[in-house]
């Protein structure tokens, strides 16, 4: 049986989404490093393979405003980031686009394309200034995903985009951050793929052919919802069917290790995900380390399932390589090497 690649990522950012200057702790990051480092050997024993995580550090303008430097988080946890890199982990970039109008409160503003692209560029510059290289992987914040972001990432040399969360409906940021007058509307991700793909230049939510971009989209994993007695299930299933041209007819839920699940729900969701695709894989990302008991429970379930089928916690490049290698439509290894970036 082929290896099931798992990418387990952690966003390194403030403890709360919209903190104020002078009250913006990020202590959860330290807990994340402590606990995930402590579990590395245990997971390796369960999976019978080396374990590599992903750490996605914020260096955007919001961080600069809050702490006086885009490098504040990286400076504070420099030794942990060095230890993570030495263990083979991915050190990627995470970007939020925030602003504080005069007399107002912090809000998200993804409606301004020029500002978003500028934030991406400046974050890459800050990353390169700190680490001495550009990031290979990146994630936009707030579940934001757009074709122009993938285009900007590609132009800046980023090879793996982990912004997409498969199965999400369209949503305005005013609803995500009520009372803030946040701007922008996230596009529907109901019908997009659940495995890595190189996007079309004309539609980032679809795999490209001859027009494919030289960047890999790695969607966060989702599974079919099982709450069939809920009215919301049928509403979202209908929306999913229409969005996908009736190729996908069931509502999905993004698999989030920090979510409160019912007993047995995590294992059932993962089994469902692995059973519906030819090339089983799971990309999972948490923000900091809030609700650690739930995160540990999720990892416990993965370790238990590793007794039945071989899994491996890997970086984004190996996640793509292993997923594509077992796909019925796998590209040739030589071609994959051209599209990937060596560690």
């Amino acid at each position: 049986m082929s290896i099931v690649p798992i990418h387990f990522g952690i966003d390194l950012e403030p403890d709360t989404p919209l903190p104020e200057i002078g009250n913006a702790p990020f202590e959860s990051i330290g807990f994340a490093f402590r606990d995930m480092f402590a579990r590395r050997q245990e997971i390796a024993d369960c999976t019978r393979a080396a374990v590599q995580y992903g750490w996605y550090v914020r260096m955007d303008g919001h961080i600069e405003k809050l702490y006086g430097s885009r490098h504040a988080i990286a400076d504070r946890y420099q030794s942990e980031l060095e230890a993570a890199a030495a263990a083979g982990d991915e050190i990627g970039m995470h970007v939020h686009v925030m602003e504080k109008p005069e007399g107002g409160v912090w809000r998200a503003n993804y409606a301004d394309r020029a500002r978003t692209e500028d934030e991406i560029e400046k974050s890459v510059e800050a990353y390169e200034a700190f680490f001495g290289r550009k990031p290979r992987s990146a994630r936009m914040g707030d579940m934001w995903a757009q074709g122009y972001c993938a285009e900007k990432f590609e132009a800046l040399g980023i090879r793996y985009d982990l912004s997409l969360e498969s199965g999400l409906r369209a949503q305005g940021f005013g609803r995500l951050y009520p009372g803030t007058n946040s701007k922008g509307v996230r596009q529907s991700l109901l019908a997009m793929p659940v495995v890595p793909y190189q996007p079309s230049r004309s539609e980032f939510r679809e795999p490209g052919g001859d027009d494919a971009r030289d960047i890999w989209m790695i969607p966060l994993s989702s599974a079919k919802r099982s709450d069939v007695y809920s009215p919301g299930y049928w509403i979202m299933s209908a929306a999913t069917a229409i969005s996908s041209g009736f190729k996908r007819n069931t509502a999905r839920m993004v698999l989030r290790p920090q979510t409160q699940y019912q007993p047995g729900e995590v294992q059932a969701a993962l089994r469902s995900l692995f059973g519906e695709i030819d090339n089983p894989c799971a990309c999972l990302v948490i923000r900091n380390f809030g609700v650690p008991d739930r995160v540990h429970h999720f990892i416990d379930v993965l370790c238990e399932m590793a007794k039945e089928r071989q899994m491996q916690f890997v970086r984004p490049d190996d996640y793509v390589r292993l997923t594509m290698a077992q796909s019925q439509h796998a590209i040739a290894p030589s071609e994959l090497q051209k599209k990937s970036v060596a560690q």
Side-chain angles (χ1 to χ4, degrees):
M1 184 176 291
S2 57
I3 297 172
V4 177
I6 308 292
H7 181 62
F8 200 99
I10 303 96
D11 291 336
L12 305 182
E13 55 191 347
D15 293 345
T16 56
L18 295 174
E20 290 293 336
I21 296 173
N23 185 27
F26 47 81
E27 302 304 315
S28 293
I29 296 175
F31 300 142
F33 279 120
R34 181 197 66 192
D35 285 25
M36 296 306 292
F37 283 2
R39 296 212 64 168
R40 193 188 297 272
Q41 187 57 53
E42 176 192 355
I43 297 171
D45 292 341
C46 292
T47 59
R48 303 173 298 283
V51 172
Q52 295 164 337
Y53 306 125
W55 306 91
Y56 298 91
V57 59
R58 281 182 60 183
M59 294 184 172
D60 52 60
H62 189 210
I63 298 302
E64 183 177 29
K65 293 287 187 180
L66 290 174
Y67 309 111
S69 169
R70 288 176 178 262
H71 297 154
I73 292 175
D75 281 335
R76 168 77 176 274
Y77 295 103
Q78 181 172 358
S79 61
E80 288 86 349
L81 288 167
E82 290 173 350
D89 294 352
E90 183 77 3
I91 311 298
M93 183 183 74
H94 187 39
V95 183
H96 282 251
V97 183
M98 300 291 187
E99 64 182 11
K100 188 173 184 179
E102 186 173 353
V105 297
W106 283 103
R107 68 183 182 187
N109 182 4
Y110 295 91
D112 187 335
R113 172 173 175 171
R115 189 175 188 280
T116 301
E117 291 183 325
D118 183 64
E119 193 61 80
I120 292 172
E121 288 184 4
K122 289 180 178 177
S123 293
V124 169
E125 290 172 1
Y127 183 104
E128 187 173 16
F130 188 88
F131 292 105
R133 64 174 180 85
K134 291 184 177 180
R136 294 188 315 161
S137 57
R139 280 174 37 76
M140 292 301 296
D142 293 318
M143 300 160 283
W144 179 249
Q146 281 284 349
Y148 72 78
C149 292
E151 180 181 359
K152 177 61 68 173
F153 281 169
E154 178 188 29
L156 293 171
I158 292 168
R159 289 292 168 259
Y160 306 99
D161 183 347
L162 293 86
S163 305
L164 302 173
E165 303 196 17
S166 60
L168 288 181
R169 60 184 173 84
Q171 184 181 36
F173 286 99
R175 294 188 62 184
L176 184 64
Y177 294 120
T180 65
N181 194 30
S182 289
K183 298 181 178 181
V185 178
R186 183 188 67 227
Q187 291 186 312
S188 170
L189 303 178
L190 291 174
M192 58 166 297
V194 296
V195 297
Y197 66 98
Q198 290 179 282
S200 165
R201 294 181 182 275
S202 59
E203 174 49 72
F204 74 100
R205 291 167 292 183
E206 296 179 358
D210 293 338
D211 69 336
R213 292 193 177 281
D214 191 18
I215 187 171
W216 287 91
M217 311 301 280
I218 302 182
L220 270 60
S221 295
S222 63
K224 295 177 181 178
R225 283 173 53 174
S226 59
D227 56 333
V228 295
Y229 299 108
S230 165
Y233 170 88
W234 296 104
I235 293 172
M236 292 306 298
S237 291
T240 300
I242 294 171
S243 297
S244 66
F246 295 91
K247 296 177 181 179
R248 182 182 294 166
N249 302 317
T250 306
R252 305 183 69 83
M253 64 175 183
V254 180
L255 297 179
R256 307 182 191 278
Q258 290 168 311
T259 295
Q260 178 67 60
Y261 292 100
Q262 297 299 316
E265 189 176 7
V266 173
Q267 188 172 49
L270 287 169
R271 287 187 187 280
S272 173
L273 172 63
F274 295 159
E276 71 174 288
I277 51 181
D278 295 325
N279 39 353
C281 55
C283 181
L284 312 160
V285 178
I286 62 175
R287 68 176 316 276
N288 288 349
F289 212 64
V291 204
D293 57 326
R294 297 177 186 174
V295 178
H296 285 299
H297 171 67
F298 204 105
I299 293 173
D300 289 342
V301 171
L302 286 170
C303 284
E304 187 65 25
M305 293 182 70
K307 297 177 181 178
E308 304 171 7
R309 60 190 312 162
Q310 188 173 0
M311 298 181 184
Q312 187 172 356
F313 283 57
V314 296
R315 297 187 309 264
D317 57 337
D318 286 327
Y319 184 83
V320 169
R321 177 180 61 81
L322 290 169
T323 304
M324 293 298 101
Q326 61 181 317
S327 171
Q328 290 183 345
H329 308 289
I331 58 179
S334 58
E335 183 65 18
L336 178 61
Q337 182 63 29
K338 294 177 186 177
K339 298 291 187 181
S340 189
V341 178
Q343 172 68 12

